[in-house]
Amino acid sequence: MDDCIFCQIVDGDVPARVVYEDEDVLAFLDANPLAAGHTLVIPKSHHETLDEVPPEPGASLFAAIHSLTPRIEDAVDADGSNVGFNNGAAAGQEVPHVHAHIVPRFEGDGGNPIHAVAGSPPDLDDDDLDALADDIAAAAGDHTPD
Ligand code: 5GP
Ligand code: ZN
C-alpha cells in the first residue's frame, strides 16, 4: 500500500526507531509515545483490521507481542503494561494498518486501565447477558479449537 505510513516504514521509506524485526513482523517506537517505551507491533503485510489478518502473520504477530512485552517492561523499568489494538475507526484506529500498542505502565503514573476506553456502559440484565453469550458462542463456534 503506497499511501500507508506503516507500509512505508516496513519498506524503509520512512524512518522509525525499530526495536524488533522478523520475517512477518516489525516493532518500532510510537512517534507520539503515551509512555517511555510505547511500542507499535505490526504485521509487515498490509491488513487494515484484525479480521483481515491471515492466520500465519497473525500467529507471528501474537508471538512477537508475547515476547516483546516483558522485554520492553524490563528495558524501561515498568511495573506493567497495557497491550491492545484500536480495531477499526469506531474504536479510534487512525492508521489503517493493524498494529498492537504496548504501553508501559508505572505505579502512580496517573493513567487508567483498559476499561476506560469505551463509552457509557450498557444496561444489561442476566437474560441479556445469557443471550449475548449464546450469540457470541454461536458466532465463534466455527473458529474455536476442538
Ligand atoms: P491508532 O490510533 O491508529 O491505534 O494509533 C496510531 C499510532 O501510530 C499513534 O499512537 C501515532 O502516534 C502513531 N504514529 C502515527 N504515525 C506514525 C509514524 O509515522 N511513525 C511512528 N513511529 N508512529 C506513528
Ligand atoms: Zn500498510
Side-chain angles (χ1 to χ4, degrees), residues 5-6 28-32 40 86 92-95 99 101:
I5 189 76
F6 287 177
F28 51 89
L29 295 188
D30 194 294
N32 301 290
L40 303 175
N86 292 325
Q93 182 178 359
E94 292 183 353
V95 177
H99 51 280
H101 292 260

Side-chain angles (χ1 to χ4, degrees), residues 12-142:
D13 295 333
V14 167
R17 293 183 174 87
V18 172
V19 300
Y20 174 83
E21 180 170 14
D22 65 30
E23 194 180 343
D24 297 325
V25 175
L26 192 71
F28 51 89
L29 295 188
D30 194 294
N32 301 290
L34 297 174
H38 180 177
T39 298
L40 303 175
V41 191
I42 69 169
K44 287 182 173 176
S45 47
H46 182 87
H47 313 284
E48 187 163 338
T49 49
L50 276 173
D51 57 303
E52 295 175 0
V53 179
E56 191 41 54
S60 299
L61 182 64
F62 183 78
I65 294 165
H66 180 256
S67 160
L68 276 169
T69 299
R71 293 162 196 259
I72 292 168
E73 289 182 10
D74 283 352
V76 300
D77 206 17
D79 301 305
S81 55
N82 293 108
V83 181
F85 294 80
N86 292 325
N87 195 40
Q93 182 178 359
E94 292 183 353
V95 177
H97 181 134
V98 66
H99 51 280
H101 292 260
I102 301 175
V103 182
R105 296 295 303 273
F106 304 86
E107 298 288 353
D109 65 12
N112 291 297
I114 209 159
H115 302 78
V117 298
S120 308
D123 185 14
L124 300 170
D125 63 21
D126 282 348
D127 289 341
D128 296 326
L129 292 170
D130 288 345
L132 279 168
D134 288 346
D135 289 347
I136 294 170
D142 290 343

